[in-house]
Amino acid sequence: MILPKANRLTPAQLAEVTAIVGEFGCRIQPIVGAVRTIYAIVGDERDELMISRLEGLAYLERIDRIQSPFKLLDIRSDLATHQITIGGVTLGRKLLVIAGQCTIDPKNPNFVYETAQAVQEAGAHVFRGGVWKPRTNPYAFQGDDKSLDILMEASRRTGLPVDTEVMDEDQLKLALAAGVPMLQVGARNALNYSLLRQIGAAIAGRSTIVLLKRSLHMGPLNEFISAAEYIANFGNPNIILCPRGTAPALDGYRNHPDESIVPLLQEKTWAPVVIDPSHSVGKAAYVQACALAAVAYGADGLCIEAHVQPSKGIGDDPKQAVTPDVLAATVRLAKQIWALRRNAAAS
Ligand code: PEP
Ligand code: MN
């Protein structure tokens, strides 16, 4: 990571730095902040000669080398002070609540509008709604482009920013063109490195945020953080990690709940962690306990499936979505746990 003395390099300085690292098989990726731009050296930055040639440039403040598989996401990275803000919440300062339907039913847009308003009243800052769905059964409803209009209309009506999953480049383009501010990478695609690269390239230079789910098949935490690094290394580090339960499933819960990994992730990465209790436990009755445990473990936020009439929903909603009153109670209790943790840390 290269930190210039000024707020950014001039074009001539950038060209000189790029030429030097290029000789050693590396490239430069600018990371543009509100005030300051820093420059990641992408590639193997261990070459001493390359580093000393860079250190010889009078306009550079410092060259930081982090020997980590995820140089940008690493807690020791210069990006550790990077802040992500959505729906009026800066992650880490206030508990972020994302809530809404698993799946938008294009035949019932009113459920979406009603749910968006209800989750807003219950304290959500972001409305989630699945436009395209990764379904295990190929004959199950797979989503519909039309649902994107419904999602954006819900956003206009409530003023809430929205989150939806994209599974391929066409969906990615449609979502960005519609102005979706938060893209979800689902558990099934969190190991799809081509998609992660496409998303990273598409959101570079934008304010878009990615909610990256933990794959069902991820074990070591480095695997999860490295998936986020795939996206960040194109220049936009707005990535939120979202554990949502992994395999193997327990008897009773849909997945193996993994909210307990929050402190482990926070030791390794500065990326905020938002827990999805809904897919972890897979049944509405257990969602609140998992959500509260997540906050007790130090989660920066929650992503909860909610629906005004779960039994009339589609996708996961009939079994997994909580009603707005349960969401409101969960948010209230979660905020109390958040405050207890803050007070304990301050005293
Ligand atoms: C979802 O959020 O509805 C979803 C399909 O999530 P996951 O990718 O975690 O299964
Ligand atoms: Mn779902």
Side-chain angles (χ1 to χ4, degrees):
M1 191 81 80
I2 298 173
L3 287 88
K5 283 189 179 143
N7 281 345
R8 62 190 59 79
L9 295 174
T10 66
Q13 291 167 344
L14 179 58
E16 184 174 25
V17 166
T18 304
I20 292 174
V21 304
E23 283 180 45
F24 297 89
C26 296
R27 68 179 175 87
I28 295 291
Q29 176 62 59
I31 311 279
V32 183
V35 179
R36 195 154 197 222
T37 299
I38 56 179
Y39 300 82
I41 305 171
V42 183
D44 186 352
E45 58 182 348
R46 279 173 301 187
D47 198 296
E48 291 301 332
L49 181 56
M50 176 176 82
I51 298 299
S52 35
R53 282 181 58 191
L54 291 171
E55 282 172 344
L57 300 174
Y59 50 86
L60 298 186
E61 170 85 38
R62 210 168 71 229
I63 321 290
D64 283 346
R65 275 186 294 172
I66 295 176
Q67 294 313 325
S68 158
F70 36 89
K71 286 182 280 193
L72 301 174
L73 270 291
D74 196 287
I75 190 84
R76 296 161 296 176
S77 152
D78 295 301
L79 282 168
T81 54
H82 180 67
Q83 293 191 327
I84 302 177
T85 300
I86 186 154
V89 176
T90 298
L91 274 293
R93 296 218 195 129
K94 202 171 146 187
L95 185 75
L96 179 77
V97 179
I98 305 169
Q101 292 171 235
C102 171
T103 307
I104 291 177
D105 178 356
K107 293 199 198 84
N108 283 304
N110 283 338
F111 279 146
V112 181
Y113 307 141
E114 286 165 25
T115 300
Q117 195 188 330
V119 301
Q120 182 172 43
E121 283 162 12
H125 310 100
V126 178
F127 178 60
R128 60 152 288 155
V131 172
W132 304 284
K133 296 307 299 180
R135 303 304 301 276
T136 311
N137 179 346
Y139 303 111
F141 178 66
Q142 306 283 315
D144 192 325
D145 290 0
K146 286 202 283 288
S147 300
L148 186 56
D149 297 333
I150 300 170
L151 181 69
M152 296 317 290
E153 177 60 21
S155 177
R156 275 187 291 276
R157 289 187 186 196
T158 56
L160 290 178
V162 289
D163 158 46
T164 203
E165 175 171 355
V166 292
M167 293 178 291
D168 62 39
E169 205 165 12
D170 291 342
Q171 296 168 0
L172 170 63
K173 284 188 182 143
L174 288 172
L176 287 178
V180 173
M182 182 184 270
L183 301 175
Q184 185 169 308
V185 177
R188 291 155 190 81
N189 272 306
L191 288 166
N192 179 346
Y193 298 120
S194 311
L195 180 67
L196 299 180
R197 270 196 295 264
Q198 283 165 352
I199 291 176
I203 66 166
R206 292 175 174 256
S207 57
T208 315
I209 296 169
V210 173
L211 185 74
L212 175 68
K213 296 280 192 98
R214 184 169 182 224
S215 160
L216 279 82
H217 304 291
M218 279 177 183
L221 297 178
N222 284 6
E223 214 179 340
F224 189 17
I225 305 170
S226 296
E229 184 89 3
Y230 262 93
I231 302 170
N233 90 63
F234 287 89
N236 178 344
N238 290 336
I239 300 163
I240 298 174
L241 300 175
C242 184
R244 45 78 74 209
T246 54
L250 292 166
D251 259 3
Y253 291 150
R254 177 172 174 182
N255 286 296
H256 189 91
D258 56 354
E259 71 281 350
S260 61
I261 68 170
V262 173
L264 305 179
L265 287 169
Q266 288 171 341
E267 279 169 14
K268 285 173 169 270
T269 178
W270 54 265
V273 184
V274 164
I275 294 289
D276 171 349
S278 303
H279 292 86
S280 283
V281 298
K283 269 196 194 126
Y286 311 130
V287 167
Q288 185 178 92
C290 182
L292 300 182
V295 181
Y297 270 112
D300 298 295
L302 297 167
C303 176
I304 300 179
E305 288 187 343
H307 193 293
V308 278
Q309 284 190 59
S311 61
K312 298 209 174 132
I314 58 174
D316 293 330
D317 287 326
K319 58 177 190 284
Q320 219 166 266
V322 296
T323 51
D325 57 329
V326 172
L327 178 68
T330 305
V331 171
R332 213 165 32 243
L333 292 167
K335 282 185 180 165
Q336 287 175 20
I337 297 174
W338 170 276
L340 280 174
R341 278 185 58 93
R342 286 289 138 138
N343 294 343
S347 62

